């Protein structure tokens, strides 16, 4: 651990860390990472860690993909910057847009670029508002998100995010944002309720919310196909089959936040394919460039585009975009990443090795500390609980999952704890079976350490 290294102390002096307990980073120091190789990263003392979270759910091709570095260098040498405002475009961005539409689910017609998942979702909110103004429905502006969703941290997307830490003391959420149920069967189902009945109840709740607010006030519904930072929540059977007709019935746009799910993570190229979704807008980021460059995208249907086109005729401009929308360097890296996904059949790889990781996670299901072990493709989680029979959680202040994650790091694997004592697994998609076994072994040792700690302190 880098608690006392000079690099960690230097960082403590100057760097304000995002999404971090600021006191803890001051006392314990950050883990300073200096290089990466395959699925591993190395700290400033040379210790190796298996990156079981692909960084922040994004480094799908690991940490040493030479072709991505070369693509960036080539593009930097040829055209390091150009923009896509006012009728210009860096040529490489056209290639990327074309390729994205070619691999996207049917119905997607245009691509609008940004730099982060938050920006893409923020853009999707603006598009939903803009479209409804264009259609003469100025009151149809509320957005429905879900409890435990994570859609980003800009003012609007933090409001969509259904997790307290994104709101507390930031004066959020803003108005016109609503949160419906989280589709977590283990936590949310009534005793004896089937997955299908649970899904039907949540869909009925959604419809009730829409009717209560007034359907003509609701613009869009946002959902991650599999919820990530809220705890890796895989929706119950028939959930989206029940939700989508309701959205269509009330003419509510469906925004699929594919920031984590896209590009193979759930065992298909897009989460939309895994769950048979027909979104109006898909937001992409993270694995779009394998995490090597900041880039995100909104894919939207031709139908939506036609509305924007007509409105731009009326207003004289489509007045949205960032200096770095379609920046050529991240675009070149993303294009190369998409070529690699296709050449190496990354979806096939996920289907081949995913079951090994899920079996590994589920092999701990009987452990007294594990309430639920869940996942799909190459993303999964366990929920740590105090009492298996009653599903009672530990006092959050005890930091049990955080302790487990620290121990996993000690044993050589980086995992992540999330609210509700969930521990996530989301390794690079290039992970092989030996490396999966290694990751699960580190987790197993950390779980043993945690069990000892819990017994020692009399927490259970
Ligand atoms: C599903 C989802 N949407 C949006 C975001 C926000 O992306 P960014 O951190 O690039 O703004 C994240 C980040 O983890 C995410 O997981």
């Amino acid at each position: 651990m880098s608690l006392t290294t000079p690099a960690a102390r230097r960082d403590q002096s100057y760097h304000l860390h995002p999404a971090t307990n600021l006191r803890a980073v001051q006392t314990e120091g950050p883990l300073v990472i200096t290089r990466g190789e395959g699925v591993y990263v190395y700290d400033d003392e040379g210790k190796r860690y298996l990156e079981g979270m692909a960084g922040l759910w994004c480094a799908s091709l690991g940490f040493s993909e030479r072709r991505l570095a070369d693509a960036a260098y080539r593009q930097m040498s040829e055209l390091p910057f150009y923009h896509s405002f006012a009728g210009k475009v860096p040529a490489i961005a056209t290639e990327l847009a074309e390729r994205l539409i070619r691999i996207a689910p049917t119905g997607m017609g245009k691509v609008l670029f940004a730099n982060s998942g938050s920006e893409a979702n923020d853009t999707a909110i603006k598009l939903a508002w803009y479209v409804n103004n264009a259609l003469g429905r100025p009151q149809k502006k509320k957005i429905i998100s879900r409890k435990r969703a994570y859609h980003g941290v800009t003012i609007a997307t933090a409001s969509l995010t259904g997790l307290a830490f994104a709101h507390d003391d930031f004066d959020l959420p803003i108005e016109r944002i609503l949160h419906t149920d989280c589709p977590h069967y283990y936590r949310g189902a009534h005793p004896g309720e089937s997955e299908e009945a649970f899904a039907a109840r949540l869909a009925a709740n959604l419809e009730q919310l829409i009717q209560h607010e007034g359907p003509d006030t609701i613009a869009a519904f946002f959902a991650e196909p599999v919820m990530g930072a809220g705890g890796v929540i895989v929706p119950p059977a028939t959930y989206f089959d029940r939700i989508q007709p309701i959205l269509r019935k009330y003419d509510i746009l469906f925004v699929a936040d594919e920031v984590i799910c896209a590009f193979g993570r759930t065992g298909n190229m897009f989460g939309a394919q895994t769950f048979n979704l027909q979104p109006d807008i898909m937001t992409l980021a993270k694995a779009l460039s394998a995490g090597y460059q900041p880039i995100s995208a909104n894919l939207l249907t031709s139908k939506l585009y036609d509305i924007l086109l007509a409105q731009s005729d009326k207003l004289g401009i489509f007045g949205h975009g960032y200096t770095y929308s379609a920046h050529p360097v991240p675009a070149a890296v993303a294009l190369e990443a998409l070529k690699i996904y296709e050449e190496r059949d990354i979806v096939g790889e996920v289907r081949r090795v995913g079951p090994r990781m899920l079996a590994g996670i589920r092999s701990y299901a009987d452990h007294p500390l594990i309430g639920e072990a869940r996942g799909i493709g190459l993303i999964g989680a366990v929920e740590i609980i105090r009492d298996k029979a009653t599903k009672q959680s530990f006092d959050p202040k005890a930091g049990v999952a955080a302790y487990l994650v620290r121990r996993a790091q000690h044993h050589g694997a980086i995992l992540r704890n999330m609210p509700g004592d969930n521990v996530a697994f989301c390794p690079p998609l290039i992970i092989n079976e030996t490396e999966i076994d290694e990751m699960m072994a580190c987790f197993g040792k950390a779980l043993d350490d945690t069990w000892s700690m819990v017994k020692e302190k009399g927490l259970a």
Side-chain angles (χ1 to χ4, degrees), residues 57 116-118 121 150-152 224 257 259-260 286:
W57 329 80
S116 67
S118 297
N121 285 325
Y150 189 89
H151 295 297
E224 302 151 83
D257 178 346
V259 166
I260 286 180
K286 298 196 187 275

mmCIF file of all heavy atoms in Angstrom, residues 57 116-118 121 150-152 224 257 259-260 286, ligand 1:
data_model
loop_
_atom_site.group_PDB
_atom_site.id
_atom_site.type_symbol
_atom_site.label_atom_id
_atom_site.label_comp_id
_atom_site.label_asym_id
_atom_site.label_seq_id
_atom_site.Cartn_x
_atom_site.Cartn_y
_atom_site.Cartn_z
ATOM 1 N N TRP A 57 -15.125 0.687 -14.783
ATOM 2 C CA TRP A 57 -16.003 -0.068 -15.686
ATOM 3 C C TRP A 57 -15.683 0.218 -17.150
ATOM 4 O O TRP A 57 -16.571 0.136 -17.998
ATOM 5 C CB TRP A 57 -17.486 0.260 -15.469
ATOM 6 C CG TRP A 57 -18.008 0.652 -14.134
ATOM 7 C CD1 TRP A 57 -17.927 1.874 -13.552
ATOM 8 C CD2 TRP A 57 -18.758 -0.168 -13.201
ATOM 9 N NE1 TRP A 57 -18.574 1.872 -12.337
ATOM 10 C CE2 TRP A 57 -19.095 0.629 -12.091
ATOM 11 C CE3 TRP A 57 -19.176 -1.507 -13.212
ATOM 12 C CZ2 TRP A 57 -19.821 0.170 -11.001
ATOM 13 C CZ3 TRP A 57 -19.909 -1.963 -12.123
ATOM 14 C CH2 TRP A 57 -20.217 -1.131 -11.033
ATOM 15 N N SER A 116 -18.036 12.644 -22.074
ATOM 16 C CA SER A 116 -18.175 11.804 -20.882
ATOM 17 C C SER A 116 -19.592 11.252 -20.849
ATOM 18 O O SER A 116 -20.487 11.764 -21.544
ATOM 19 C CB SER A 116 -17.935 12.637 -19.621
ATOM 20 O OG SER A 116 -18.971 13.583 -19.463
ATOM 21 N N GLY A 117 -19.779 10.253 -20.006
ATOM 22 C CA GLY A 117 -21.108 9.690 -19.833
ATOM 23 C C GLY A 117 -22.084 10.727 -19.297
ATOM 24 O O GLY A 117 -23.246 10.799 -19.724
ATOM 25 N N SER A 118 -21.610 11.551 -18.349
ATOM 26 C CA SER A 118 -22.474 12.597 -17.795
ATOM 27 C C SER A 118 -22.927 13.550 -18.888
ATOM 28 O O SER A 118 -24.105 13.913 -18.978
ATOM 29 C CB SER A 118 -21.731 13.397 -16.719
ATOM 30 O OG SER A 118 -21.377 12.586 -15.636
ATOM 31 N N ASN A 121 -25.591 11.948 -21.113
ATOM 32 C CA ASN A 121 -26.917 11.898 -20.490
ATOM 33 C C ASN A 121 -27.509 13.295 -20.334
ATOM 34 O O ASN A 121 -28.714 13.489 -20.501
ATOM 35 C CB ASN A 121 -26.840 11.179 -19.140
ATOM 36 C CG ASN A 121 -26.702 9.680 -19.317
ATOM 37 O OD1 ASN A 121 -27.265 9.103 -20.245
ATOM 38 N ND2 ASN A 121 -25.948 9.040 -18.435
ATOM 39 N N TYR A 150 -27.402 5.307 -11.691
ATOM 40 C CA TYR A 150 -26.263 6.220 -11.787
ATOM 41 C C TYR A 150 -26.185 6.711 -13.227
ATOM 42 O O TYR A 150 -25.946 5.919 -14.139
ATOM 43 C CB TYR A 150 -24.938 5.546 -11.394
ATOM 44 C CG TYR A 150 -23.808 6.550 -11.287
ATOM 45 C CD1 TYR A 150 -23.541 7.204 -10.084
ATOM 46 C CD2 TYR A 150 -23.048 6.902 -12.397
ATOM 47 C CE1 TYR A 150 -22.530 8.159 -9.991
ATOM 48 C CE2 TYR A 150 -22.042 7.859 -12.311
ATOM 49 C CZ TYR A 150 -21.783 8.475 -11.099
ATOM 50 O OH TYR A 150 -20.793 9.432 -11.005
ATOM 51 N N HIS A 151 -26.398 8.012 -13.406
ATOM 52 C CA HIS A 151 -26.366 8.561 -14.759
ATOM 53 C C HIS A 151 -25.356 9.692 -14.888
ATOM 54 O O HIS A 151 -25.294 10.326 -15.943
ATOM 55 C CB HIS A 151 -27.755 9.050 -15.179
ATOM 56 C CG HIS A 151 -28.776 7.946 -15.281
ATOM 57 N ND1 HIS A 151 -28.663 6.915 -16.184
ATOM 58 C CD2 HIS A 151 -29.913 7.708 -14.581
ATOM 59 C CE1 HIS A 151 -29.702 6.083 -16.052
ATOM 60 N NE2 HIS A 151 -30.470 6.541 -15.082
ATOM 61 N N GLY A 152 -24.592 9.978 -13.811
ATOM 62 C CA GLY A 152 -23.588 11.020 -13.910
ATOM 63 C C GLY A 152 -23.688 12.023 -12.786
ATOM 64 O O GLY A 152 -24.464 11.831 -11.831
ATOM 65 N N GLU A 224 -30.413 2.337 -17.098
ATOM 66 C CA GLU A 224 -29.277 1.495 -17.468
ATOM 67 C C GLU A 224 -29.835 0.083 -17.674
ATOM 68 O O GLU A 224 -30.583 -0.395 -16.816
ATOM 69 C CB GLU A 224 -28.257 1.436 -16.338
ATOM 70 C CG GLU A 224 -27.694 2.762 -15.876
ATOM 71 C CD GLU A 224 -27.280 2.720 -14.394
ATOM 72 O OE1 GLU A 224 -26.178 2.255 -14.104
ATOM 73 O OE2 GLU A 224 -28.080 3.147 -13.535
ATOM 74 N N ASP A 257 -29.258 4.185 -21.017
ATOM 75 C CA ASP A 257 -27.903 4.588 -20.627
ATOM 76 C C ASP A 257 -27.022 3.347 -20.707
ATOM 77 O O ASP A 257 -26.983 2.528 -19.798
ATOM 78 C CB ASP A 257 -27.927 5.178 -19.209
ATOM 79 C CG ASP A 257 -26.541 5.578 -18.726
ATOM 80 O OD1 ASP A 257 -25.545 5.156 -19.356
ATOM 81 O OD2 ASP A 257 -26.457 6.282 -17.709
ATOM 82 N N VAL A 259 -23.785 3.380 -20.907
ATOM 83 C CA VAL A 259 -22.416 3.829 -20.632
ATOM 84 C C VAL A 259 -21.552 2.666 -20.105
ATOM 85 O O VAL A 259 -20.379 2.550 -20.459
ATOM 86 C CB VAL A 259 -22.439 5.037 -19.668
ATOM 87 C CG1 VAL A 259 -21.068 5.331 -19.079
ATOM 88 C CG2 VAL A 259 -22.964 6.264 -20.411
ATOM 89 N N ILE A 260 -22.137 1.794 -19.305
ATOM 90 C CA ILE A 260 -21.396 0.603 -18.840
ATOM 91 C C ILE A 260 -21.668 -0.597 -19.754
ATOM 92 O O ILE A 260 -20.776 -1.378 -20.068
ATOM 93 C CB ILE A 260 -21.771 0.257 -17.382
ATOM 94 C CG1 ILE A 260 -21.134 1.269 -16.416
ATOM 95 C CG2 ILE A 260 -21.333 -1.163 -17.020
ATOM 96 C CD1 ILE A 260 -21.450 1.021 -14.949
ATOM 97 N N LYS A 286 -17.254 5.287 -21.868
ATOM 98 C CA LYS A 286 -16.384 4.238 -21.312
ATOM 99 C C LYS A 286 -15.742 3.333 -22.367
ATOM 100 O O LYS A 286 -14.771 3.717 -23.000
ATOM 101 C CB LYS A 286 -17.165 3.431 -20.273
ATOM 102 C CG LYS A 286 -17.607 4.314 -19.081
ATOM 103 C CD LYS A 286 -18.032 3.501 -17.893
ATOM 104 C CE LYS A 286 -18.631 4.342 -16.786
ATOM 105 N NZ LYS A 286 -17.696 4.934 -15.863
HETATM 106 C C1 LIG B 1 -24.315 4.060 -16.318
HETATM 107 C C2 LIG B 1 -23.488 5.300 -16.227
HETATM 108 N N1 LIG B 1 -23.925 6.418 -16.789
HETATM 109 C C3 LIG B 1 -23.216 7.561 -16.740
HETATM 110 C C4 LIG B 1 -22.005 7.616 -16.098
HETATM 111 C C5 LIG B 1 -21.264 8.904 -16.028
HETATM 112 O O1 LIG B 1 -20.148 8.850 -16.846
HETATM 113 P P1 LIG B 1 -18.927 9.858 -16.619
HETATM 114 O O2 LIG B 1 -18.292 9.513 -15.330
HETATM 115 O O3 LIG B 1 -18.058 9.584 -17.830
HETATM 116 O O4 LIG B 1 -19.481 11.228 -16.652
HETATM 117 C C6 LIG B 1 -21.503 6.464 -15.497
HETATM 118 C C7 LIG B 1 -20.210 6.484 -14.781
HETATM 119 O O5 LIG B 1 -19.827 5.558 -14.123
HETATM 120 C C8 LIG B 1 -22.266 5.283 -15.553
HETATM 121 O O6 LIG B 1 -21.851 4.179 -14.955
#
